[in-house]
Amino acid sequence: MPALPIRLLLATGLAMAALLPPAGSAAAQTTEPGPTLAGIRAKGLLDCSANQGSPGFGVPDSRGEQQGLDPDICRAVAAAVLGPNARIRWTVLTSQARIPALQSGQVDLVARTFTWTHSREINAGLQFGPVAFYDGQGFLVKKSTGVTRASQLDGASICVTAGSTNELNLADWARTNKFEVHPVVFESNEDTRKAYLSGRCDSYTLDASQLAGFVSSLPKGEHLILPDIISKEPLTPAVRKGDPQWYDIVRWTFFALVLAEELGVTQANLDSMLESPNPDVRRLLGVSGDHGPAMGLDRRWAYNAIKAVGNYGEIFQRHLGEDSPLGLPRGLNALWNHGGLMYAPPIR
């Protein structure tokens, strides 16, 4: 067969290219709902985890409504998927029950002081989203013990919750430092707290931010959180493996909350920001682009999420920061351009 003229080949190639969607465009992506998204829409609600009671992260208020960083992540995802007035069905889970509940489909999303680890992601069939709170494990003691550093806990009995990373971290820390400790293990955080307060153990070990939440409910001046941090605890929402669309929705909803803070978009100014000339704001709020439809969502997916709970900074201040009983500094949880680690990829 004779070779085609170069001009004809070029013309044919250009014609075919014109029929293809631009690289990275929404048209190049599927918009059909995957199994999790379809299931949520069929139910008309999001099944989400609830904490047994961790001030700042998840605790029922006087009306029985879940309040905290983790419930607000669930609310943001529900609003992104189901729109305003989205419904959530809360399932209270112990540390040990979190993974089976997610694996079995009892819940669609676990946002419950859940540490991202290799074994949980690789062996348990889970996928972890962005880190929602950078934490580390600490120790709580009664001031009457005279203990001021963790090194003084050699030989101590230490209350810890079963099925948590805290249990393994405690054993690793003791082994590394050649300490002898006596773990006193309980099924739930509530049982562990009660045991510590009743004197069953010399110290209580848990993520430092959760210890701060616990102390905020106790008489002032009687307890001390030791300054020693013995682990990394990236607290992260998690989903089941096998549904990449749902994983994208959860990840990008959280990223949208972080981007909103960075761009100055708040729950209060959200509607006025629809008129912003900033291309990043316009893409975030769905004024331009098809980033929502690319995930099977409405163009206003991020607008709905921010409308429901505010941006990440607002959520932090409300539940964990200066506006809360915990009064925690932002620290590592500040935005990347304010000395922290909170960083979201651009929506473009």
Side-chain angles (χ1 to χ4, degrees):
M1 179 178 178
L4 293 173
I6 294 295
R7 283 182 296 178
L8 180 57
L9 286 172
L10 287 173
T12 303
L14 289 171
M16 292 179 65
L19 297 174
L20 296 174
S25 73
Q29 314 251 349
T30 179
T31 58
E32 290 299 314
T36 307
L37 180 57
I40 291 167
R41 286 177 172 162
K43 294 181 293 185
L45 57 82
L46 173 72
D47 276 302
C48 201
S49 62
N51 208 308
Q52 292 174 297
S54 181
F57 290 91
V59 65
D61 61 17
S62 58
R63 299 172 300 166
E65 290 290 326
Q66 288 289 326
Q67 301 296 338
L69 172 68
D70 293 331
D72 276 358
I73 291 174
C74 289
R75 289 188 178 98
V77 173
V81 171
L82 297 171
N85 304 313
R87 294 169 55 215
I88 299 175
R89 180 162 55 197
W90 305 101
T91 300
V92 177
L93 298 172
T94 65
S95 296
Q96 289 180 305
R98 293 174 297 190
I99 293 175
L102 190 53
Q103 290 170 326
S104 68
Q106 182 182 4
V107 294
D108 305 306
L109 171 63
V110 166
R112 185 209 167 282
T113 54
F114 203 12
T115 299
W116 182 3
T117 69
H118 181 273
S119 59
R120 285 174 174 172
E121 183 157 281
I122 303 303
N123 300 330
L126 309 184
Q127 279 188 294
F128 289 83
V131 177
F133 190 91
Y134 291 92
D135 210 346
Q137 185 172 333
F139 295 94
L140 180 67
V141 297
K142 294 173 182 172
K143 284 187 177 179
S144 59
T145 64
V147 172
T148 58
R149 296 303 300 256
S151 57
Q152 296 172 267
L153 294 174
D154 190 8
S157 58
I158 300 179
C159 284
V160 64
T161 303
S164 65
T165 54
N166 305 131
E167 190 177 8
L168 176 60
N169 292 337
L170 177 63
D172 287 347
W173 171 77
R175 187 180 302 111
T176 299
N177 290 281
K178 298 181 180 178
F179 291 160
E180 181 181 353
V181 297
H182 306 284
V184 186
V185 183
F186 298 90
E187 173 88 14
S188 69
N189 282 339
E190 184 61 27
D191 290 340
T192 312
R193 294 185 190 106
K194 288 178 180 177
Y196 165 75
L197 291 174
S198 69
R200 291 278 304 278
C201 42
D202 304 308
S203 176
Y204 175 23
T205 188
L206 186 67
D207 296 355
S209 62
Q210 294 179 64
L211 290 177
F214 177 44
V215 170
S216 71
S217 67
L218 302 177
K220 290 186 178 180
E222 295 184 8
H223 301 267
L224 174 67
I225 300 174
L226 302 182
D228 309 87
I229 299 296
I230 67 168
S231 72
K232 293 185 295 185
E233 303 297 324
L235 305 182
T236 313
V239 298
R240 288 180 297 281
K241 275 186 180 174
D243 190 340
Q245 181 192 58
W246 180 238
Y247 180 53
D248 287 343
I249 289 170
V250 171
R251 280 196 312 151
W252 281 98
T253 298
F254 183 79
F255 285 145
L257 302 179
V258 175
L259 284 169
E261 182 184 7
E262 183 179 336
L263 295 168
V265 178
T266 69
Q267 197 173 30
N269 72 12
L270 188 61
D271 288 320
S272 64
M273 292 296 270
L274 291 170
E275 305 299 324
S276 171
N278 186 329
D280 290 327
V281 172
R282 295 176 70 81
R283 285 189 291 265
L284 172 68
L285 301 183
V287 178
S288 64
D290 289 322
H291 301 282
M295 299 185 293
L297 303 180
D298 186 87
R299 284 181 174 81
R300 289 209 172 181
W301 62 283
Y303 171 97
N304 290 331
I306 299 161
K307 191 75 170 178
V309 296
N311 65 41
Y312 178 80
E314 291 178 288
I315 297 168
F316 188 100
Q317 286 299 102
R318 184 163 61 241
H319 300 301
L320 301 165
E322 296 173 357
D323 296 340
S324 77
L326 276 68
L328 297 179
R330 286 289 292 266
L332 296 178
N333 297 292
L335 292 178
W336 65 279
N337 52 2
H338 287 81
L341 297 177
M342 283 296 163
Y343 187 104
I347 294 176
R348 67 169 74 119

